[in-house]
Amino acid sequence: MDLERDRIRTVFHEQYPGLCRFLTGIVGASGAPDLAQESFLRLCGARLGEISDDEIRFWLFRVGRNLALNEVNRENTRKRLWRRAGEALSFKRPAPEAELERSEQRNQIRRLLAKLPEHQRSALLLRENEDMSYREIALVLAVSEAKVKIDIYRGREKLRELWNEENNEM
C-alpha cells in the first residue's frame, strides 16, 4: 500500500502541472486545479497494478478531459467559460506595451480556440502546450493517430482563418 501511495505521489508531482495547463485550456484557470485534483482522486480509487507511468499519464489526461467536458456541458455555454478564463488570466496591473500586446494576443487566441470543435481544440492544446506526440494524444483522446493528425491540421487551418478574419476586420 505504501509503495502505491509513493507511486501516486510521484506521478502527482510529475503530471499535475501539465494536467492543469491542459485543463486550463478547456475550462479556464479557475476550474482547472479542482478538475486535476478530482482526476488524481479517481486515480487513487483505481487499481494501478502493473500500469506503466506513461499509461497512467494518458489515463489522467483522459479522465481530466472528460471531467472538464462535463463541466463545460453543465455551464451550457463555452463562450461564458472562455470569457471568465480570459478575465482570470488577464493582468491586474498595468503591463509594459509589449507585454500588453502579447497578453491581448493570448486572449485573442483563447477566444479563437473556443470557436473550434472540442476535438480539434483538445488535440491542439495537447500538442502545443504539453508537447505530446500524435501517438500520445491519440491515447489521451482515445482516437486513432490519423484522426489526431487531421484534427490538428484542420484546427490550425481554422485558427489561421479566424485570426486573419479578425485581424483584417480591425
Side-chain angles (χ1 to χ4, degrees), residues 1-146:
M1 186 67 168
D2 288 332
L3 288 175
E4 191 165 315
R5 192 176 337 173
D6 289 342
R7 186 173 181 206
I8 289 174
R9 188 176 294 122
T10 300
V11 170
F12 179 84
H13 289 293
E14 291 173 355
Q15 300 302 328
Y16 182 80
L19 183 58
C20 279
R21 283 190 304 270
F22 172 61
L23 295 173
T24 297
I26 299 174
V27 298
S30 61
D34 290 338
L35 293 176
Q37 289 176 9
E38 177 65 26
S39 300
F40 276 97
L41 286 173
R42 292 188 182 194
L43 176 65
C44 291
R47 296 197 175 170
L48 300 181
E50 297 298 318
I51 299 174
S52 73
D53 288 345
D54 283 342
E55 290 172 347
I56 289 175
R57 178 182 190 215
F58 303 134
W59 187 92
L60 279 169
F61 276 78
R62 188 177 308 124
V63 168
R65 175 180 175 257
N66 289 339
L67 289 169
L69 293 178
N70 288 342
E71 184 69 24
V72 170
N73 288 336
R74 273 192 288 281
E75 288 293 324
N76 257 347
T77 173
R78 291 182 178 153
K79 290 180 183 178
R80 189 170 19 157
L81 268 172
W82 284 97
R83 185 176 66 245
R84 282 196 307 228
E87 291 167 1
L89 293 173
S90 66
F91 289 97
K92 304 291 186 229
R93 57 182 160 62
E97 190 172 309
E99 184 60 33
L100 183 59
E101 185 176 325
R102 282 193 298 271
S103 176
E104 289 171 1
Q105 286 178 343
R106 283 191 299 267
N107 287 336
Q108 183 180 15
I109 290 169
R110 281 187 200 95
R111 211 174 43 255
L112 296 177
L113 275 169
K115 294 179 181 181
L116 294 179
E118 186 281 323
H119 55 96
Q120 291 176 359
R121 181 174 60 244
S122 290
L124 277 170
L125 288 169
L126 289 170
R127 181 72 174 172
E128 300 303 327
N129 290 351
E130 299 308 315
D131 200 30
M132 286 189 181
S133 69
Y134 293 129
R135 183 184 69 74
E136 292 170 330
I137 296 168
L139 288 170
V140 170
L141 302 180
V143 298
S144 70
E145 282 185 57

